[in-house]
Structure formats: structure tokens, C-alpha cells
Amino acid sequence: TCDAFVTENGGRIFFRNEKQRKTASPYVEDLLWLESHKDAIGSLDLAFNPPQDRQGPLWDVYRILAQRGWNLDVAGYITEFRVVATGESSEEETLRNAIQEAGDGKIRFSRNLGKYDVYPVSSGKAEAASYIRNNCSGRILRINKKYNRVVAICDDDNDVELAMDAHHVYVPCISSETLRLNIHRNPEHFTLSKRMGPFATEDMLQAIVKRELP
């Protein structure tokens, strides 16, 4: 059981509701956080319409890429979409140009597991973590004010901002060159697992329990 979880690369935050803890879905969405992305994602009334019918700069970028034949993944998403990477050397520049053309300065992207996440500048893992830490501790009953240290488990390009915002980072594996570069620049900020696969994640979870919890 967790107090809160974040989806869509930071776009949506759900908090555990003590009044619903015995129900099948004891989590409720923070609609204030969701509404903070409206300048990028458009009206929430259209959020579950087909993406070509949605409003906002995020979906303007989507439509440009769709018209150009890009392989896009929007299944179930309302605050982001994903672009399947082709491996072509120019694809990142092309994506950046499309965002510059239609994004109105409100859209950005990062790479994760062979795809590009395209999402509002108001979103992202670091922004979501900061929002939870700075604004919502009163909604998480088990938070004690003496705990002001933030740690994270990170492994890919879309984790880098969160990694640099945390006090310390535990890395089960390195999946992007940007993360590798940040580890090289700030080795004391990171703890790397010496194991592989799911054992590496377990290794980092055990390290957090041992080093970070009272």
C-alpha cells in the first residue's frame, strides 16, 4: 500500500483516501494537479475523446506527428502521448521541431524505454514529486514533518530531473546516456546496484530500507 502514486510521466496524481480504504479503489485523483495542465492539454471535458478531437497544444503536436505518419501511442492517456522511436538519427530533431511549431512553449519530451514521452512543461516526474512534497503532506497521514529527505529510484532519461531534485538516487540499471552522464558528473549523488534484472531493483529497495528509514 502506498500513500500516493503518479501516472502518465507526472501528469496525474492519486492519493489514498482513508474513507475508501476498504473499497476496491481506495485512491482518488488530485484534480487541482490535473487542472494545472489545462493550458497544454485543453478542456478536461474533452479528455477522453479521441485525441484528434481534443484541444490544446499537446494535441496540436499529436495531430502534426500523426499526419506525418509517426507511430503514436495514446491509449488511456489524457496528459501525454508516446512516440515509438525509429532509431533514425534525425527523429529527435524532427520531434523537437514539431513541438516548437505547435507546442506554444508548453510542451516538452523525454525518452523512456525506446519511446518518447510528450507532455506538458507543467508535468514531469520531478514536478509531481515536488507537488506532493511541498503541497500535499497533510493529505498523507503517515508523513511526519521530521522526514525532509527525498530519495528516488531512477533508471532512464525521463527520470533525470527527478534524480537531480532528490537528495539521493538509487539506480538498479542505467538505461540512458543522459542518466549515465549525470552519474559521471555527480557520483556521490547516486548508488548503483551491482546486480541485474529484478534482483537489482530488489537490491535498491533493500538499500533504501537499510539506509533511509528510521
Side-chain angles (χ1 to χ4, degrees):
T1 301
C2 61
D3 296 304
F5 67 88
V6 178
T7 65
E8 299 193 23
N9 204 48
R12 306 178 72 181
I13 298 175
F14 298 80
F15 286 95
R16 184 162 56 92
N17 186 337
E18 289 298 311
K19 295 180 181 180
Q20 297 180 200
R21 62 182 177 178
K22 294 183 179 181
T23 69
S25 180
Y27 294 90
V28 293
E29 184 161 10
D30 188 315
L31 296 180
L32 290 177
W33 175 249
L34 181 61
E35 290 174 356
S36 72
H37 312 314
K38 284 176 65 175
D39 285 349
I41 68 174
S43 171
L44 298 181
D45 293 335
L46 303 177
F48 293 97
N49 284 15
Q52 60 268 24
D53 297 332
R54 300 178 193 176
Q55 301 172 353
L58 179 66
W59 309 113
D60 292 337
V61 174
Y62 176 94
R63 282 184 280 273
I64 286 177
L65 296 176
Q67 290 170 1
R68 295 175 181 175
W70 286 55
N71 187 357
L72 307 177
D73 174 13
V74 73
Y77 300 141
I78 65 173
T79 65
E80 74 158 349
F81 65 89
R82 308 194 73 196
V83 181
V84 178
T86 64
E88 296 181 7
S89 59
S90 62
E91 68 180 357
E92 193 163 308
E93 182 180 357
T94 302
L95 177 57
R96 187 176 289 108
N97 290 339
I99 290 174
Q100 186 174 0
E101 177 183 346
D104 195 27
K106 299 171 183 175
I107 308 300
R108 58 176 171 165
F109 72 94
S110 58
R111 187 160 181 162
N112 180 39
L113 299 177
K115 294 184 179 180
Y116 294 100
D117 292 316
V118 183
Y119 52 95
V121 296
S122 57
S123 178
K125 293 184 179 181
E127 285 72 13
S130 178
Y131 180 82
I132 293 172
R133 184 172 71 247
N134 295 329
N135 301 306
C136 302
S137 60
R139 298 175 57 177
I140 301 178
L141 300 182
R142 290 184 289 175
I143 279 189
N144 186 317
K145 290 185 178 180
K146 70 179 181 180
Y147 300 133
N148 57 5
R149 178 173 166 85
V150 175
V151 299
I153 294 179
C154 300
D155 67 356
D156 212 335
D157 177 59
N158 68 336
D159 298 323
V160 169
E161 289 185 353
L162 173 62
M164 300 317 296
D165 187 58
H167 292 94
H168 194 75
V169 182
Y170 294 83
V171 183
C173 66
I174 302 173
S175 300
S176 75
E177 194 58 33
T178 50
L179 181 60
R180 187 186 306 277
L181 182 60
N182 276 277
I183 293 172
H184 178 73
R185 290 173 175 171
N186 307 276
E188 71 287 346
H189 190 67
F190 298 87
T191 295
L192 278 63
S193 176
K194 296 180 180 179
R195 307 178 74 185
M196 299 181 66
F199 298 106
T201 302
E202 180 67 21
D203 187 33
M204 294 294 90
L205 288 172
Q206 290 181 1
I208 290 175
V209 171
K210 182 177 180 180
R211 302 179 189 179
E212 305 291 348
L213 298 185

